[in-house]
PDB file of all heavy atoms in Angstrom:
ATOM      1  N   PHE A 454      57.640   3.596   6.298  1.00 97.00           N
ATOM      2  CA  PHE A 454      57.413   4.542   7.396  1.00 97.00           C
ATOM      3  C   PHE A 454      58.637   4.581   8.311  1.00 97.00           C
ATOM      4  O   PHE A 454      59.102   5.662   8.699  1.00 97.00           O
ATOM      5  CB  PHE A 454      56.161   4.144   8.189  1.00 97.00           C
ATOM      6  CG  PHE A 454      54.908   4.824   7.726  1.00 97.00           C
ATOM      7  CD1 PHE A 454      54.072   4.224   6.788  1.00 97.00           C
ATOM      8  CD2 PHE A 454      54.548   6.069   8.214  1.00 97.00           C
ATOM      9  CE1 PHE A 454      52.918   4.848   6.351  1.00 97.00           C
ATOM     10  CE2 PHE A 454      53.393   6.704   7.792  1.00 97.00           C
ATOM     11  CZ  PHE A 454      52.572   6.090   6.851  1.00 97.00           C
ATOM     12  N   ARG A 455      59.162   3.422   8.658  1.00 97.00           N
ATOM     13  CA  ARG A 455      60.340   3.373   9.543  1.00 97.00           C
ATOM     14  C   ARG A 455      61.513   4.097   8.903  1.00 97.00           C
ATOM     15  O   ARG A 455      62.202   4.887   9.548  1.00 97.00           O
ATOM     16  CB  ARG A 455      60.727   1.920   9.825  1.00 97.00           C
ATOM     17  CG  ARG A 455      59.764   1.156  10.732  1.00 97.00           C
ATOM     18  CD  ARG A 455      60.343  -0.205  11.111  1.00 97.00           C
ATOM     19  NE  ARG A 455      61.600  -0.041  11.850  1.00 97.00           N
ATOM     20  CZ  ARG A 455      62.804  -0.211  11.311  1.00 97.00           C
ATOM     21  NH1 ARG A 455      62.940  -0.575  10.050  1.00 97.00           N
ATOM     22  NH2 ARG A 455      63.879  -0.027  12.040  1.00 97.00           N
ATOM     23  N   TRP A 456      61.770   3.803   7.634  1.00 97.00           N
ATOM     24  CA  TRP A 456      62.940   4.373   6.949  1.00 97.00           C
ATOM     25  C   TRP A 456      62.772   5.863   6.638  1.00 97.00           C
ATOM     26  O   TRP A 456      63.746   6.557   6.356  1.00 97.00           O
ATOM     27  CB  TRP A 456      63.189   3.627   5.633  1.00 97.00           C
ATOM     28  CG  TRP A 456      63.449   2.159   5.806  1.00 97.00           C
ATOM     29  CD1 TRP A 456      63.750   1.493   6.962  1.00 97.00           C
ATOM     30  CD2 TRP A 456      63.406   1.158   4.777  1.00 97.00           C
ATOM     31  NE1 TRP A 456      63.905   0.148   6.738  1.00 97.00           N
ATOM     32  CE2 TRP A 456      63.702  -0.090   5.400  1.00 97.00           C
ATOM     33  CE3 TRP A 456      63.156   1.179   3.409  1.00 97.00           C
ATOM     34  CZ2 TRP A 456      63.757  -1.276   4.673  1.00 97.00           C
ATOM     35  CZ3 TRP A 456      63.209   0.004   2.694  1.00 97.00           C
ATOM     36  CH2 TRP A 456      63.503  -1.217   3.318  1.00 97.00           C
ATOM     37  N   CYS A 457      61.529   6.361   6.690  1.00 96.00           N
ATOM     38  CA  CYS A 457      61.267   7.773   6.351  1.00 96.00           C
ATOM     39  C   CYS A 457      61.059   8.633   7.595  1.00 96.00           C
ATOM     40  O   CYS A 457      60.391   9.672   7.536  1.00 96.00           O
ATOM     41  CB  CYS A 457      60.060   7.880   5.426  1.00 96.00           C
ATOM     42  SG  CYS A 457      60.322   7.196   3.783  1.00 96.00           S
ATOM     43  N   GLY A 458      61.585   8.181   8.742  1.00 91.00           N
ATOM     44  CA  GLY A 458      61.573   9.047   9.915  1.00 91.00           C
ATOM     45  C   GLY A 458      60.758   8.573  11.086  1.00 91.00           C
ATOM     46  O   GLY A 458      60.705   9.249  12.121  1.00 91.00           O
ATOM     47  N   TRP A 459      60.068   7.421  10.958  1.00 90.00           N
ATOM     48  CA  TRP A 459      59.228   6.942  12.044  1.00 90.00           C
ATOM     49  C   TRP A 459      59.915   5.846  12.860  1.00 90.00           C
ATOM     50  O   TRP A 459      59.298   5.266  13.750  1.00 90.00           O
ATOM     51  CB  TRP A 459      57.903   6.405  11.506  1.00 90.00           C
ATOM     52  CG  TRP A 459      57.080   7.436  10.792  1.00 90.00           C
ATOM     53  CD1 TRP A 459      57.327   7.975   9.568  1.00 90.00           C
ATOM     54  CD2 TRP A 459      55.889   8.064  11.267  1.00 90.00           C
ATOM     55  NE1 TRP A 459      56.364   8.883   9.239  1.00 90.00           N
ATOM     56  CE2 TRP A 459      55.453   8.964  10.264  1.00 90.00           C
ATOM     57  CE3 TRP A 459      55.124   7.940  12.431  1.00 90.00           C
ATOM     58  CZ2 TRP A 459      54.320   9.743  10.384  1.00 90.00           C
ATOM     59  CZ3 TRP A 459      53.979   8.713  12.550  1.00 90.00           C
ATOM     60  CH2 TRP A 459      53.588   9.606  11.546  1.00 90.00           C
ATOM     61  N   SER A 460      61.154   5.543  12.568  1.00 78.00           N
ATOM     62  CA  SER A 460      61.858   4.468  13.272  1.00 78.00           C
ATOM     63  C   SER A 460      61.996   4.797  14.751  1.00 78.00           C
ATOM     64  O   SER A 460      62.368   5.909  15.129  1.00 78.00           O
ATOM     65  CB  SER A 460      63.252   4.263  12.663  1.00 78.00           C
ATOM     66  OG  SER A 460      63.902   3.188  13.288  1.00 78.00           O
ATOM     67  N   GLY A 461      61.693   3.830  15.602  1.00 72.00           N
ATOM     68  CA  GLY A 461      61.812   4.024  17.045  1.00 72.00           C
ATOM     69  C   GLY A 461      60.667   4.802  17.649  1.00 72.00           C
ATOM     70  O   GLY A 461      60.665   5.065  18.851  1.00 72.00           O
ATOM     71  N   GLN A 462      59.684   5.193  16.833  1.00 78.00           N
ATOM     72  CA  GLN A 462      58.546   5.944  17.338  1.00 78.00           C
ATOM     73  C   GLN A 462      57.264   5.136  17.121  1.00 78.00           C
ATOM     74  O   GLN A 462      57.208   4.252  16.277  1.00 78.00           O
ATOM     75  CB  GLN A 462      58.409   7.281  16.594  1.00 78.00           C
ATOM     76  CG  GLN A 462      59.625   8.174  16.690  1.00 78.00           C
ATOM     77  CD  GLN A 462      59.438   9.453  15.885  1.00 78.00           C
ATOM     78  OE1 GLN A 462      58.321   9.887  15.656  1.00 78.00           O
ATOM     79  NE2 GLN A 462      60.539  10.039  15.452  1.00 78.00           N
ATOM     80  N   ARG A 463      56.259   5.479  17.899  1.00 88.00           N
ATOM     81  CA  ARG A 463      54.964   4.834  17.690  1.00 88.00           C
ATOM     82  C   ARG A 463      54.406   5.263  16.347  1.00 88.00           C
ATOM     83  O   ARG A 463      54.304   6.453  16.052  1.00 88.00           O
ATOM     84  CB  ARG A 463      53.999   5.223  18.815  1.00 88.00           C
ATOM     85  CG  ARG A 463      52.682   4.454  18.780  1.00 88.00           C
ATOM     86  CD  ARG A 463      51.874   4.736  20.036  1.00 88.00           C
ATOM     87  NE  ARG A 463      51.265   6.051  20.007  1.00 88.00           N
ATOM     88  CZ  ARG A 463      50.056   6.305  19.483  1.00 88.00           C
ATOM     89  NH1 ARG A 463      49.358   5.322  18.948  1.00 88.00           N
ATOM     90  NH2 ARG A 463      49.554   7.518  19.521  1.00 88.00           N
ATOM     91  N   LEU A 464      54.063   4.284  15.524  1.00 95.00           N
ATOM     92  CA  LEU A 464      53.535   4.572  14.194  1.00 95.00           C
ATOM     93  C   LEU A 464      52.041   4.878  14.316  1.00 95.00           C
ATOM     94  O   LEU A 464      51.221   3.990  14.547  1.00 95.00           O
ATOM     95  CB  LEU A 464      53.766   3.375  13.267  1.00 95.00           C
ATOM     96  CG  LEU A 464      53.221   3.493  11.842  1.00 95.00           C
ATOM     97  CD1 LEU A 464      53.720   4.756  11.164  1.00 95.00           C
ATOM     98  CD2 LEU A 464      53.614   2.262  11.029  1.00 95.00           C
ATOM     99  N   THR A 465      51.703   6.152  14.167  1.00 97.00           N
ATOM    100  CA  THR A 465      50.314   6.595  14.364  1.00 97.00           C
ATOM    101  C   THR A 465      49.528   6.526  13.067  1.00 97.00           C
ATOM    102  O   THR A 465      48.794   7.453  12.701  1.00 97.00           O
ATOM    103  CB  THR A 465      50.297   8.025  14.930  1.00 97.00           C
ATOM    104  OG1 THR A 465      51.100   8.879  14.082  1.00 97.00           O
ATOM    105  CG2 THR A 465      50.853   8.068  16.334  1.00 97.00           C
ATOM    106  N   PHE A 466      49.679   5.429  12.360  1.00 97.00           N
ATOM    107  CA  PHE A 466      48.955   5.192  11.107  1.00 97.00           C
ATOM    108  C   PHE A 466      48.428   3.771  11.084  1.00 97.00           C
ATOM    109  O   PHE A 466      49.117   2.832  11.483  1.00 97.00           O
ATOM    110  CB  PHE A 466      49.869   5.402   9.892  1.00 97.00           C
ATOM    111  CG  PHE A 466      49.763   6.763   9.274  1.00 97.00           C
ATOM    112  CD1 PHE A 466      50.406   7.846   9.854  1.00 97.00           C
ATOM    113  CD2 PHE A 466      48.997   6.969   8.146  1.00 97.00           C
ATOM    114  CE1 PHE A 466      50.300   9.106   9.297  1.00 97.00           C
ATOM    115  CE2 PHE A 466      48.881   8.227   7.585  1.00 97.00           C
ATOM    116  CZ  PHE A 466      49.529   9.307   8.155  1.00 97.00           C
ATOM    117  N   ASP A 467      47.183   3.621  10.626  1.00 98.00           N
ATOM    118  CA  ASP A 467      46.665   2.298  10.297  1.00 98.00           C
ATOM    119  C   ASP A 467      47.141   1.951   8.896  1.00 98.00           C
ATOM    120  O   ASP A 467      47.011   2.767   7.975  1.00 98.00           O
ATOM    121  CB  ASP A 467      45.132   2.288  10.313  1.00 98.00           C
ATOM    122  CG  ASP A 467      44.558   2.548  11.689  1.00 98.00           C
ATOM    123  OD1 ASP A 467      45.197   2.173  12.678  1.00 98.00           O
ATOM    124  OD2 ASP A 467      43.463   3.134  11.770  1.00 98.00           O
ATOM    125  N   ILE A 468      47.677   0.762   8.730  1.00 98.00           N
ATOM    126  CA  ILE A 468      48.071   0.294   7.402  1.00 98.00           C
ATOM    127  C   ILE A 468      46.954  -0.619   6.909  1.00 98.00           C
ATOM    128  O   ILE A 468      46.659  -1.644   7.520  1.00 98.00           O
ATOM    129  CB  ILE A 468      49.420  -0.434   7.443  1.00 98.00           C
ATOM    130  CG1 ILE A 468      50.500   0.490   8.020  1.00 98.00           C
ATOM    131  CG2 ILE A 468      49.820  -0.905   6.050  1.00 98.00           C
ATOM    132  CD1 ILE A 468      51.863  -0.170   8.198  1.00 98.00           C
ATOM    133  N   VAL A 469      46.324  -0.228   5.809  1.00 98.00           N
ATOM    134  CA  VAL A 469      45.079  -0.856   5.358  1.00 98.00           C
ATOM    135  C   VAL A 469      45.302  -1.567   4.023  1.00 98.00           C
ATOM    136  O   VAL A 469      45.440  -0.905   2.985  1.00 98.00           O
ATOM    137  CB  VAL A 469      43.960   0.192   5.200  1.00 98.00           C
ATOM    138  CG1 VAL A 469      42.658  -0.466   4.767  1.00 98.00           C
ATOM    139  CG2 VAL A 469      43.778   0.990   6.491  1.00 98.00           C
ATOM    140  N   PRO A 470      45.356  -2.892   4.025  1.00 97.00           N
ATOM    141  CA  PRO A 470      45.470  -3.592   2.743  1.00 97.00           C
ATOM    142  C   PRO A 470      44.146  -3.556   1.991  1.00 97.00           C
ATOM    143  O   PRO A 470      43.081  -3.715   2.586  1.00 97.00           O
ATOM    144  CB  PRO A 470      45.827  -5.022   3.157  1.00 97.00           C
ATOM    145  CG  PRO A 470      45.262  -5.176   4.526  1.00 97.00           C
ATOM    146  CD  PRO A 470      45.339  -3.815   5.168  1.00 97.00           C
ATOM    147  N   LEU A 471      44.228  -3.315   0.701  1.00 95.00           N
ATOM    148  CA  LEU A 471      43.048  -3.337  -0.162  1.00 95.00           C
ATOM    149  C   LEU A 471      43.162  -4.559  -1.076  1.00 95.00           C
ATOM    150  O   LEU A 471      43.979  -4.594  -1.994  1.00 95.00           O
ATOM    151  CB  LEU A 471      42.964  -2.051  -0.988  1.00 95.00           C
ATOM    152  CG  LEU A 471      42.005  -2.006  -2.196  1.00 95.00           C
ATOM    153  CD1 LEU A 471      40.620  -2.495  -1.847  1.00 95.00           C
ATOM    154  CD2 LEU A 471      41.957  -0.607  -2.791  1.00 95.00           C
ATOM    155  N   PHE A 472      42.365  -5.580  -0.766  1.00 93.00           N
ATOM    156  CA  PHE A 472      42.325  -6.792  -1.579  1.00 93.00           C
ATOM    157  C   PHE A 472      41.227  -6.591  -2.622  1.00 93.00           C
ATOM    158  O   PHE A 472      40.046  -6.741  -2.319  1.00 93.00           O
ATOM    159  CB  PHE A 472      42.026  -8.013  -0.707  1.00 93.00           C
ATOM    160  CG  PHE A 472      43.029  -8.234   0.387  1.00 93.00           C
ATOM    161  CD1 PHE A 472      42.681  -8.010   1.716  1.00 93.00           C
ATOM    162  CD2 PHE A 472      44.312  -8.659   0.107  1.00 93.00           C
ATOM    163  CE1 PHE A 472      43.592  -8.216   2.737  1.00 93.00           C
ATOM    164  CE2 PHE A 472      45.241  -8.867   1.124  1.00 93.00           C
ATOM    165  CZ  PHE A 472      44.878  -8.646   2.438  1.00 93.00           C
TER     166      PHE A 472
END
Side-chain angles (χ1 to χ4, degrees):
F454 267 93
R455 289 188 61 258
W456 300 346
C457 292
W459 298 72
S460 183
Q462 302 178 25
R463 188 171 75 89
L464 178 54
T465 53
F466 264 79
D467 295 329
I468 303 176
V469 181
L471 165 49
F472 301 109

